[in-house]
């Protein structure tokens, strides 16, 4: 039994777009198959995505967090921290961020990475917060006509 079953969506994969059902367990996609193929799937929750497009989460390979905003360096205005940047990314469908680790003169590169890792370290638990956004997305899907 799946935790969540997304049915009848037009799912974009590397090989193209196909109408597929998506089975999710423990927060991971564990099944992709054509609707009606095989025995009916059971799930704790089912969302009908008929007429909806389903795309993988985006990757932003260049973000800056907790650093001086380059266009305002003299003023010392800082970029938002990982918490705000990642929350905004989730709302926009971006699920992976690659942050810039600032090197300081005299540092070993590993020290730069360690500082940046320390900033983000607490956000490995950010998945819990993201789950609340996912629930909100399910509610939004329903308000746009997707059935559960």
């Amino acid at each position: 039994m799946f935790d969540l079953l997304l049915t009848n969506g037009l799912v974009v994969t590397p090989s193209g777009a196909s109408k597929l059902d998506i089975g999710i367990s423990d927060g991971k996609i564990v099944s992709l198959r054509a609707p009606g193929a095989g025995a009916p799937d059971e799930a704790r929750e089912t969302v009908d995505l008929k007429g909806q497009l389903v795309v993988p989460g985006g990757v932003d390979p260049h973000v800056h967090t907790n650093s001086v905003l380059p266009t305002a360096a003299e003023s010392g205005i800082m970029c938002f921290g990982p918490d705000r940047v990642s929350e905004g990314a989730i709302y926009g469908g971006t699920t992976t961020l690659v942050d810039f680790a600032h090197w300081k003169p005299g540092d070993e590169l590993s020290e730069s990475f360690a500082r940046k890792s320390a900033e983000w370290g607490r956000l490995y638990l950010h998945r819990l917060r993201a789950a609340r956004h996912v629930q909100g997305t399910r509610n939004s899907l329903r308000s746009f006509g997707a059935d559960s």
Side-chain angles (χ1 to χ4, degrees):
M1 175 183 282
F2 300 124
D3 297 327
L4 176 64
L5 180 62
L6 305 174
T7 62
N8 300 312
L10 184 59
V11 180
V12 177
T13 68
S15 60
S18 304
K19 194 173 200 179
L20 297 171
D21 290 346
I22 305 169
I24 300 171
S25 292
D26 295 322
K28 295 180 183 177
I29 295 173
V30 295
S31 173
L32 286 174
R33 72 178 196 185
D41 291 318
E42 292 184 19
R44 288 182 180 83
E45 181 180 3
T46 299
V47 178
D48 185 352
L49 298 178
K50 185 176 182 178
Q52 303 293 316
L53 185 64
V54 182
V55 296
V59 176
D60 188 338
H62 188 119
V63 300
H64 294 269
T65 64
N66 289 337
S67 58
V68 175
L69 192 62
T71 58
E74 290 181 12
S75 68
I77 296 173
M78 301 288 285
C79 297
F80 288 118
D83 53 344
R84 289 280 300 274
V85 172
S86 59
E87 187 171 6
I90 290 168
Y91 277 108
T94 300
T95 58
T96 303
L97 302 172
V98 180
D99 199 357
F100 187 82
H102 293 280
W103 175 83
K104 294 181 180 178
D107 275 358
E108 292 292 326
L109 193 55
S110 60
E111 293 172 302
S112 300
F113 291 146
R115 269 195 310 277
K116 188 52 73 172
S117 293
E119 289 176 19
W120 280 89
R122 62 191 168 85
L123 287 175
Y124 288 118
L125 297 176
H126 196 63
R127 288 181 155 200
L128 299 174
R129 181 189 247 180
R132 284 189 236 137
H133 295 300
V134 170
Q135 182 59 47
T137 301
R138 288 183 195 148
N139 293 337
S140 295
L141 287 171
R142 288 188 190 100
S143 70
F144 284 110
D147 299 325
S148 62

